[in-house]
Amino acid sequence: MSGSPLLDRHAEALALFSSRVHAVREDQWDAPTPCSEWTVRDLVGHLAGEQLWVVDLVRDGRTVAEVGDRYDGDVLGEDPVATWDRAAAGALDAFREEGALDRTVSLSSGDTPATAYCSQMTADAVVHAWDLSRAIGADERLPRRLVDFALQEFTPYADSLPSTGLFDGPLDAPAEADAQTRLLAMLGRRA
């Protein structure tokens, strides 16, 4: 499928995260990230695992129960960068498959339109690209188009995110803050 703004943003978000994964130096995999419980390896592993799920849920139509604990633990193995590249390519292909965005996927939260799932995955990759950038000392500026996309995705349910245990509570952002600063503050991150 081509010409889909959603798929374009998804591809851009994964490319951004990929560029940061490829910039991780060998001595940075155990470095801390803005996600207080995660090292760089944990963060990349989280995103790689998320991409691996896409193939099972979207392309193969499996349920969370059917996949089980297949992606629990360290999915990165001996070559984290190559594992990330394969996982990202699989997710891109699965979402771009003919009719994929018309499907319903079975998530732990219930049946969800594939478009909503793709939007969540895209926004997650955007924010975690910033986390990874901060952790490894890379450029932290996110493309405005991706920031706007993530703001649109997260704003309706941002208040519920801290209860998941995966996000810190929102921070106050100055009234004159730019879109990226507002996004990060909404998700408990200091720019």
Side-chain angles (χ1 to χ4, degrees):
M1 175 184 282
S2 62
S4 164
L6 174 58
L7 292 177
D8 291 346
R9 294 305 80 74
H10 180 250
E12 289 169 19
L14 290 187
L16 176 65
F17 193 82
S18 291
S19 72
R20 299 314 189 259
V21 172
H22 282 264
V24 176
R25 295 186 323 260
E26 198 58 43
D27 65 338
Q28 292 179 313
W29 288 101
D30 291 324
T33 70
C35 304
S36 61
E37 303 296 317
W38 288 346
T39 64
V40 167
R41 185 180 178 90
D42 296 331
L43 177 62
V44 174
H46 165 70
L47 261 286
E50 295 260 315
Q51 305 321 305
L52 293 169
W53 274 98
V54 172
V55 174
D56 282 312
L57 298 176
V58 175
R59 189 194 68 202
D60 298 339
R62 292 188 176 105
T63 66
V64 171
E66 289 171 332
V67 177
D69 62 0
R70 182 174 179 188
Y71 303 119
D72 288 357
D74 182 5
V75 299
L76 293 179
E78 294 296 316
D79 190 345
V81 175
T83 301
W84 163 258
D85 287 343
R86 281 191 304 275
L92 283 169
D93 289 347
F95 275 126
R96 287 187 177 278
E97 188 176 276
E98 186 67 36
L101 292 182
D102 298 325
R103 297 177 187 147
T104 298
V105 294
S106 177
L107 304 179
S108 58
S109 58
D111 287 349
T112 304
T115 53
Y117 180 44
C118 187
S119 292
Q120 293 166 11
M121 296 290 286
T122 302
D124 195 46
V126 171
V127 173
H128 286 318
W130 180 87
D131 293 331
L132 187 53
S133 297
R134 167 90 22 125
I136 66 171
D139 181 6
E140 296 177 13
R141 291 298 321 159
L142 300 170
R144 179 62 191 257
R145 181 169 39 206
L146 291 177
V147 169
D148 290 345
F149 183 94
L151 273 169
Q152 182 178 350
E153 172 60 29
F154 283 125
T155 297
Y157 57 86
D159 290 344
S160 68
L161 292 174
S163 67
T164 66
L166 300 174
F167 292 85
D168 289 336
L171 304 172
D172 291 329
E176 70 280 358
D178 66 6
Q180 179 171 320
T181 302
R182 289 193 321 271
L183 171 67
L184 296 172
M186 178 173 50
L187 300 174
R189 290 157 168 85
R190 289 198 196 285

